[in-house]
Amino acid sequence: MSTATADTPGGSAAGSPLDAARRIGVLVRHQVIMRVRDPGQVISYVLTPMILMLVFKPLYLRAFAGNQGTLQVVTGPLIMFSVFTLAIIGNSILVEREWHTWDRLRTSSASVAEILLGKLIPVYLIVVFQQTLLMAYGCLIIGLPFPHSVGLVAIAICSWGLALLALGAALATILRSHAELGMVSDVGAITISALGGALVPVSIMPTWAAVAAHGSPGYWAIRMMQAAVRGDTAGTLRPAALLLAGALAAGTFATYRLARGWGRSHLL
């Protein structure tokens, strides 16, 4: 079995798909143990938007006609606090760099793609779980009408989760510390979600903000999520395609940097 090193451009591990699955499984199990031992962030990113939905519900119901108020008060905090999970995603890679164990992973028989899958699959499941739970909470507690198509909602949640996953992985190859990652994820979450219409609809924003909103992933995520709840297929799939294209670009960037040795611990 050949060995991929951090200095081998495009290095890949040899072996059967079963061998690759075993290597990924070991990394997944390790990541799950780390998340179970430190669940604070996940709990915070689930409970806080639940509280905000309850607090802001009367305001949004008075401000918007029909079901738009409950739709806004559910999807806004859902998208905002899903962006905060960039910290969890980035930490899954950055912590290995700070512990100087990333170099050991790269000298193992696992390829860069296998390492990334092993690190990010559990985090992706966390992101999907968070969004699914908040959507169910919105329907059962806040009064959001049950989605016309569960399939469209699933597409929206999975697409947005992939976009966040790729962006978080890309950030982890650039930033040098947990403090930097925390700052970027916090500021980014507020900026992306606020410009995207998580706090107030884009239609009532100042002109400059409404124009800038179209460059925010949060804008497309909110449009996609609201369209999915309404059962609008075209309104769901178009933003999903844009977000998946962005995820592909960010994921390719992260893989390229890590394959070229930019994840090495001495670069911190």
Side-chain angles (χ1 to χ4, degrees):
M1 182 176 297
S2 62
T3 301
T5 66
D7 299 318
T8 303
S12 60
S16 67
L18 182 59
D19 292 331
R22 286 172 178 166
R23 289 190 290 266
I24 293 171
V26 171
L27 293 167
V28 166
R29 184 166 61 250
H30 172 68
Q31 189 64 30
V32 168
I33 291 173
M34 293 177 64
R35 286 293 98 210
V36 170
R37 290 178 176 176
D38 186 19
Q41 281 182 310
V42 178
I43 295 173
S44 173
Y45 296 156
V46 169
L47 292 183
T48 306
M50 286 181 174
I51 295 171
L52 289 180
M53 288 180 194
L54 285 173
V55 171
F56 287 117
K57 178 182 176 180
L59 174 64
Y60 281 94
L61 289 181
R62 292 190 183 97
F64 300 98
N67 293 326
Q68 184 59 34
T70 53
L71 189 60
Q72 181 69 33
V73 79
V74 172
T75 57
L78 186 154
I79 296 300
M80 175 180 286
F81 282 86
S82 64
V83 181
F84 276 112
T85 60
L86 286 175
I88 300 176
I89 298 166
N91 279 334
S92 67
I93 296 174
L94 189 58
V95 70
E96 297 282 0
R97 298 177 64 197
E98 286 196 338
W99 289 351
H100 298 274
T101 51
W102 182 263
D103 301 335
R104 297 180 184 179
L105 285 175
R106 287 295 292 119
T107 56
S108 71
S109 57
S111 67
V112 171
E114 290 169 0
I115 294 173
L116 282 176
L117 285 173
K119 300 294 293 182
L120 297 181
I121 285 175
V123 187
Y124 179 68
L125 295 177
I126 289 173
V127 175
V128 170
F129 169 77
Q130 179 215 31
Q131 294 181 70
T132 303
L133 184 61
L134 291 177
M135 184 64 72
Y137 176 83
C139 293
L140 297 175
I141 305 299
I142 303 302
L144 181 71
F146 193 80
H148 290 78
S149 172
V150 175
L152 287 178
V153 173
I155 290 173
I157 288 175
C158 292
S159 300
W160 180 229
L162 285 173
L164 291 173
L165 202 71
L167 181 57
L171 287 175
T173 68
I174 299 173
L175 303 178
R176 295 174 176 269
S177 68
H178 290 286
E180 286 186 7
L181 178 62
M183 178 194 68
V184 170
S185 62
D186 290 348
V187 174
I190 297 298
T191 304
I192 289 174
S193 56
L195 277 179
L199 300 178
V200 295
V202 174
S203 59
I204 63 174
M205 287 183 179
T207 302
W208 66 266
V211 173
H214 291 76
S216 167
Y219 170 80
W220 300 105
I222 289 177
R223 284 174 61 92
M224 175 180 64
M225 202 68 68
Q226 293 184 352
V229 173
R230 292 193 300 265
D232 181 354
T233 302
T236 302
L237 297 183
R238 289 194 191 106
L242 287 174
L243 291 171
L244 290 175
L248 179 61
T252 301
F253 174 79
T255 303
Y256 175 84
R257 283 183 62 88
L258 292 174
R260 296 306 186 272
W262 284 99
R264 287 178 289 183
S265 300
H266 75 271
L267 295 177
L268 290 172

